[in-house]
Amino acid sequence: MEFSATTFRELCQQHGIAVTHQRQVLFEIMQGMHGHPSPEEVYARVKKKIPAISLATVYKNIHLFVESGIFREVSMHHGTLRVEMNSRPHHHMVCSMCKSISDIDEADLGLLPSHQKLPGGFLVERYAVDVIGICPECQAKKVN
Amino acid sequence: MEFSATTFRELCQQHGIAVTHQRQVLFEIMQGMHGHPSPEEVYARVKKKIPAISLATVYKNIHLFVESGIFREVSMHHGTLRVEMNSRPHHHMVCSMCKSISDIDEADLGLLPSHQKLPGGFLVERYAVDVIGICPECQAKKVN
DNA sequence: TTGACAGACGATAAGAATTATCGTTTACTA
DNA sequence: TAGTAAACGATAATTCTTATCGTCTGTCAA
Ligand SMILES: [Mn+2]
Ligand SMILES: [Mn+2]
Ligand SMILES: [Zn+2]
Ligand SMILES: [Zn+2]
């Protein structure tokens, strides 16, 4: 486990957040979950331990965990449907600050698959690569 | 342009959909748009040409274009927030049929970046690769 | 050409996911 | 242990998307 050496109390102190019962149970249950649960799925699990917990609290703490880097989001751009009209083979540069998405040509990325068969027999159609980082505009804005 | 050789009428015939004025204007405007617009952004543009158009029509036709393969979606899993608790370096296999997401270790994917600097000065933090294809379960279900 | 009719349209209600508000409670610090 | 900022629960509001439904239109065969 990633946080086995550190107690949850210490983890909260590092990030300057209060150690509440809800927060601790939420953290422990999420740590034990497999896959990529939605907030509703997490809520359902936590309610078994804390029946009075609010869905809003689940959302607020998930965001807090993600902002703190304790957990992550699967997709940087899960918000609304975005349409792709560019038919050239390309990937995306996603800014972790402003969430802007820009195209990058497959050739410019220089990322090539070396395996053809994936574990479990997954049949590959294509790759979609998100290069996550800081766009030039946000680099300029950033005060370090 | 991808469809310059083919008229919109022929494109519709290929996909068995009717050639309507709304559909044609929508298609042409979307073709001329840069980036990765949201349905609302497309709607705003199209309203200038067809003030009476409905947002529902925009959504319906965007889905139709995506289903037909005329356009694409930027993210396969933009629906709801999904949390990642797996801290090992890994990427994702996303099934284009059932939208299921499974982990694949970085090493198993065998995909390595050869460039360090990206055009435009984008500062790379990490790569997130979606391997899009058909999961074993859907391969079994599929009737070919 | 001209109906018949499936499919498409617009208006709008409904649904799902997420965020905001607000009064109460709790954890932290001195 | 009291004061205060933060967190909580309840729930309203917002945002994004889909469903419904009555009307209209494109397609195709006669
Ligand atoms: Mn793109
Ligand atoms: Mn994962
Ligand atoms: Zn940025
Ligand atoms: Zn599948």
Side-chain angles (χ1 to χ4, degrees), chain A residues 28-72:
Chain A
E28 281 163 6
I29 283 177
M30 288 179 74
Q31 275 233 304
M33 288 180 83
H34 300 133
H36 310 92
S38 65
E40 287 281 354
E41 284 164 351
V42 173
Y43 178 54
R45 288 278 194 110
V46 177
K47 266 213 292 201
K48 290 176 189 169
K49 293 259 180 186
I50 311 175
I53 200 168
S54 166
L55 178 58
T57 301
V58 173
Y59 269 98
K60 281 182 280 199
N61 279 296
I62 288 177
H63 286 145
L64 202 60
F65 291 152
V66 169
E67 283 159 28
S68 305
I70 295 171
F71 296 137
R72 286 148 294 284

Side-chain angles (χ1 to χ4, degrees), chain A residues 122, chain B residues 95-100 133-139 141:
Chain A
F122 191 89
Chain B
C95 178
S96 56
M97 301 187 75
C98 67
K99 314 283 180 194
S100 66
I134 318 284
C135 74
E137 288 72 29
C138 286
Q139 286 179 51
K141 274 179 242 157

Side-chain angles (χ1 to χ4, degrees), chain A residues 36-37 72 74 78 81-84 92 103 108 110-111 113-115 120-121 123 125-126 128 130 132-134 136 139, chain B residues 36-37 39 72 74 78 82-84 92 103 108 110-111 113-115 120-121 123 125-126 128 130 132-134 136 139:
Chain A
H36 310 92
R72 286 148 294 284
V74 172
H78 76 274
L81 171 62
R82 293 302 174 125
V83 197
E84 176 66 79
H92 292 118
D103 291 346
D108 285 338
L111 199 63
S114 63
H115 297 198
L123 180 64
E125 288 174 351
R126 64 189 176 88
D130 283 352
I132 295 155
I134 316 286
Q139 285 179 53
Chain B
H36 310 93
R72 285 148 295 281
V74 173
H78 77 274
R82 294 300 173 127
V83 197
E84 178 66 78
H92 291 117
D103 290 348
D108 286 336
L111 197 65
S114 63
H115 296 197
L123 180 64
E125 288 175 349
R126 63 188 176 92
D130 283 353
I132 294 155
I134 318 284
Q139 286 179 51

Side-chain angles (χ1 to χ4, degrees), chain A residues 13 32 44 50 56 107 116 126 137:
Chain A
Q13 281 167 352
I50 311 175
Q116 295 298 346
R126 64 189 176 88
E137 289 72 29

